[in-house]
Amino acid sequence: MNAKQKLFWLGIGCIAIVAFGIAAYVLQTRGASNDLGLTRSDLAIGGLPDVEALRAKTKAVADAYLGQHEAELKELCGGQFQLTSDYSLSPKIRALGYRSSFYYYCWDIYLPYSLQPNSGSAYTVAVQLSDGTKGNTRDPDKFRVLRAIMIDQKDLSTRTLK
């Protein structure tokens, strides 16, 4: 091969590497493709699950967990409150760094809730759930709550329930 041919193939190789890098970046950073905040690449890596079933399972576990922590929520709100799941808050909690994903071997999902005290400012609650089990395996039928993060109107974490 002469110098011109080597330069040509080097250029082709560089273009291919750049194209591959751009494609990988776009797939990873592409906006959430659903209201759980999961990207398309997360869904592909996680085995293309039924998103509706995933939402139902995680919501049932998160609702039960928040019900068990009602006293702490009342303390935070200073009395009565209204708590509702609000998937429209998924982009907000994702922008704050709480990103749902398929993490190595298990789902790591943040469900958004709106917490409206009868008096005072509203909070956003990000409930983190996982289906990871001991031994680096997972059981998609046994999600558990890792924590719930209370976020105030200024987008600051005010409290974490564990």
Side-chain angles (χ1 to χ4, degrees):
M1 245 193 252
N2 65 32
K4 282 186 178 182
Q5 287 176 327
K6 287 181 183 179
L7 188 58
F8 172 78
W9 286 111
L10 179 64
I12 294 294
C14 289
I15 289 171
I17 289 170
V18 169
F20 179 75
I22 290 171
Y25 176 78
V26 167
L27 283 175
Q28 185 59 35
T29 60
R30 179 174 236 151
S33 64
N34 54 65
D35 56 9
L36 289 176
L38 295 164
T39 63
R40 288 181 181 90
S41 62
D42 288 321
L43 294 172
I45 293 168
L48 298 172
D50 178 358
V51 176
E52 292 297 322
L54 196 59
R55 181 186 306 108
K57 289 174 187 177
T58 54
K59 185 177 179 324
V61 172
D63 287 348
Y65 175 84
L66 292 170
Q68 293 170 353
H69 288 84
E70 186 175 345
E72 290 175 75
L73 296 173
K74 276 186 181 179
E75 177 189 325
L76 176 70
C77 294
Q80 295 298 317
F81 61 89
Q82 185 173 11
L83 182 68
T84 55
S85 63
D86 186 352
Y87 293 105
S88 70
L89 294 171
S90 287
K92 175 183 177 177
I93 62 173
R94 188 169 178 81
L96 292 173
Y98 305 110
R99 298 176 183 264
S100 295
S101 65
F102 188 82
Y103 188 70
Y104 291 106
Y105 63 91
C106 65
W107 292 108
D108 185 30
I109 296 176
Y110 287 90
L111 289 186
Y113 283 79
S114 174
L115 178 65
Q116 181 66 49
N118 287 348
S119 61
S121 299
Y123 293 90
T124 300
V125 181
V127 180
Q128 183 184 11
L129 300 108
S130 174
D131 68 344
T133 60
K134 290 183 181 180
N136 294 338
T137 60
R138 66 184 176 124
D139 185 348
D141 291 324
K142 293 186 180 176
F143 275 90
R144 62 188 166 84
V145 174
L146 302 177
R147 63 184 174 156
I149 303 110
M150 318 304 280
I151 303 164
D152 67 10
Q153 293 292 321
K154 297 176 185 175
D155 293 339
L156 299 173
S157 175
T158 59
R159 187 178 214 168
T160 301
L161 306 175
K162 290 188 179 191

